[in-house]
């Protein structure tokens, strides 16, 4: 505790009996004798803490908040459980990791209140965690994949093969004890932009995705330590279930939803908003896409300014 300083601090906290790796961002002029609002964050799939959370952490610290970004169980600098494999973000565990992150923040004597901030899949994680964790006082979701239930969006002709492949992968891993990996978005860590975009159903979205996640992207595997577009192949067995969406009307904390109206993922925000019964605020931008909120300075400034104002009300 005595070594904490303004800026980024490497920390660990316990979840599932192992130590998860985190980055704790503290405001300029940080004084441990004072009280601060803290933010537990949740990142997009399949990101590690050096990607979106390394963008939002300094920005929220600049606005006076304590901010915790961390690697989920089996991701980045955090270990997998004994006998399990890395690159395995399982939705139910992400929620429990988030609860433990809240517990960790609750042990810090300079934290007076805890808020939740999620980006993309992280929005669904934060919303899901907040349903029964009222230690989180407010939640904000940016480009949130909120109404993202695969059964709703994809149809049985798509979901049945996904489930079959995930089931087969789980069985294979159980029997062999070896990891089975794939590229869930069709983008591996070595693919060239042209190779990825030419086969994409939505080329414009594919180019945007590659600009961030590609091997030479802004926060791709060639830029960020431990970043990878490869993931464990049975992941669909949990990711197709969207808890936050199903329990939207049970969320009691005030919420803020930020999204781009022209983003292909906009319905994932609007359909979630329609189900909320809490005190909720919506901020929609015509000029920003889904991925713009990950890293483009003007989009990040717009979202972090809005989140800071909302959390400070």
């Amino acid at each position: 505790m005595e070594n904490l300083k303004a800026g980024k601090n490497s920390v660990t906290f316990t979840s599932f009996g192992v130590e998860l790796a985190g980055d704790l961002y503290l405001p300029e002029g940080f004084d441990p004798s004072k009280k601060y609002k803290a933010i537990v964050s949740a990142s997009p799939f399949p990101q590690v803490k050096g990607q979106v959370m390394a963008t939002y952490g300094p920005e929220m610290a600049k606005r006076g908040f304590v901010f915790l970004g961390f690697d989920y169980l089996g991701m980045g600098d955090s270990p997998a459980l004994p006998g399990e494999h890395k690159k395995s973000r399982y939705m139910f565990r992400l929620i429990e990791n988030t609860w433990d992150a809240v517990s960790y923040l609750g042990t810090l004597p300079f934290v007076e209140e805890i808020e939740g901030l999620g980006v993309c899949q992280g929005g669904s994680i934060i919303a899901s965690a907040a349903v029964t964790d009222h230690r989180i006082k407010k939640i904000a979701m940016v480009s949130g994949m909120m109404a993202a239930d695969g059964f709703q969006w994809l149809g049985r002709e798509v979901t049945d093969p996904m489930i079959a492949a995930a089931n087969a992968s789980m069985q294979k891993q159980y029997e062999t004890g070896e990891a089975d990996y794939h590229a869930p978005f069709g983008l591996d860590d070595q693919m060239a932009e042209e190779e990825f975009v030419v086969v994409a159903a939505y080329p414009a979205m594919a180019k945007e995705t590659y600009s961030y996640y590609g091997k030479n992207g802004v926060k791709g595997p060639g830029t960020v330590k431990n970043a990878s577009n490869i993931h464990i192949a049975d992941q669909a067995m949990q990711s197709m279930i969207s808890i936050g969406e199903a329990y939207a009307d049970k969320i009691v904390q005030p919420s803020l939803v930020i999204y781009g109206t022209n983003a292909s993922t906009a319905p994932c925000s609007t359909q979630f908003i329609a189900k909320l019964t809490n005190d909720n605020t919506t901020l929609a931008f015509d000029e920003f896409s889904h991925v713009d909120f990950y890293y483009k300075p003007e989009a990040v400034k717009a979202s972090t300014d809005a989140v800071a104002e909302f959390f400070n009300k």
Side-chain angles (χ1 to χ4, degrees):
M1 192 71 65
E2 61 273 11
N3 295 324
L4 293 177
K5 61 186 185 305
K8 186 173 80 170
N9 299 265
S10 295
V11 299
T12 61
F13 63 93
T14 304
S15 187
F16 284 87
V18 299
E19 293 299 305
L20 301 189
D23 290 329
L24 189 68
Y25 296 88
L26 300 175
E28 185 176 351
F30 170 72
D31 182 344
S33 67
K34 294 183 178 179
K35 297 291 185 180
Y36 300 87
K37 290 187 176 182
I39 297 171
V40 59
S41 68
S43 60
F45 175 85
Q47 290 196 19
V48 293
K49 58 182 168 55
Q51 293 174 292
V52 160
M53 297 300 96
T55 298
Y56 276 71
E59 290 295 328
M60 296 313 299
K62 188 189 302 180
R63 289 158 176 78
F65 294 88
V66 170
F67 182 98
L68 176 64
F70 64 95
D71 284 331
Y72 295 109
L73 183 70
M75 294 294 293
D77 290 327
S78 293
L81 292 179
E84 295 191 352
H85 310 294
K86 294 279 286 183
K87 301 179 184 177
S88 55
R89 283 172 57 130
Y90 295 121
M91 177 59 78
F92 304 134
R93 290 179 175 181
L94 307 183
I95 296 168
E96 291 196 50
N97 288 167
T98 302
W99 289 336
D100 289 329
V102 172
S103 295
Y104 165 70
L105 288 173
T107 68
L108 302 179
F110 49 84
V111 169
E112 65 174 350
E113 183 174 303
I114 300 169
E115 329 290 1
L117 170 62
V119 181
C120 190
Q121 187 198 37
S124 184
I125 297 166
I126 284 295
S128 300
V131 171
T132 56
D133 195 337
H134 295 176
R135 296 173 299 175
I136 304 173
K137 300 307 180 185
K138 293 180 180 177
I139 57 174
M141 295 140 285
V142 180
S143 277
M145 296 298 290
M146 311 306 301
D149 189 315
F151 298 100
Q152 170 188 339
W153 288 102
L154 302 176
R156 291 289 297 272
E157 69 279 5
V158 177
T159 59
D160 282 357
M162 288 176 65
I163 291 169
N167 292 168
S169 177
M170 178 169 281
Q171 189 67 33
K172 177 182 177 181
Q173 291 178 109
Y174 185 86
E175 292 177 4
T176 66
E178 298 179 356
D180 182 28
Y181 293 116
H182 79 140
F185 304 123
L187 174 64
D188 65 30
D189 292 346
Q190 301 302 321
M191 194 174 289
E193 180 180 8
E194 298 77 15
E195 186 182 1
F196 178 59
V197 174
V198 72
V199 298
Y202 303 99
M205 186 175 181
K207 285 180 71 69
E208 180 183 41
T209 299
Y210 193 90
S211 71
Y212 190 87
Y213 288 107
K215 64 178 180 178
N216 296 316
V218 176
K219 292 281 189 175
T223 307
V224 175
K225 176 191 172 187
N226 291 326
S228 176
N229 300 309
I230 304 302
H231 201 269
I232 207 80
D234 63 2
Q235 178 262 338
M237 289 175 64
Q238 290 193 40
S239 67
M240 290 175 64
I241 301 171
S242 183
I243 298 174
E245 171 192 0
Y247 286 82
D249 63 333
K250 306 300 190 294
I251 296 172
V252 299
Q253 298 93 327
S255 62
L256 169 65
V257 181
I258 299 173
Y259 70 98
T261 57
N262 295 313
S264 60
T265 55
C268 293
S269 292
T270 57
Q271 293 194 23
F272 173 77
I273 293 164
K275 296 178 180 181
L276 292 171
T277 57
N278 62 347
D279 175 11
N280 63 86
T281 302
T282 299
L283 187 57
F285 292 91
D286 296 334
E287 64 269 38
F288 300 135
S289 70
H290 181 93
V291 177
D292 285 348
F293 287 108
Y294 288 14
Y295 72 100
K296 290 192 175 177
E298 60 274 21
V300 172
K301 183 180 187 307
S303 61
T304 50
D305 280 348
V307 169
E309 180 181 358
F310 178 73
F311 285 165
N312 280 325
K313 283 183 180 177

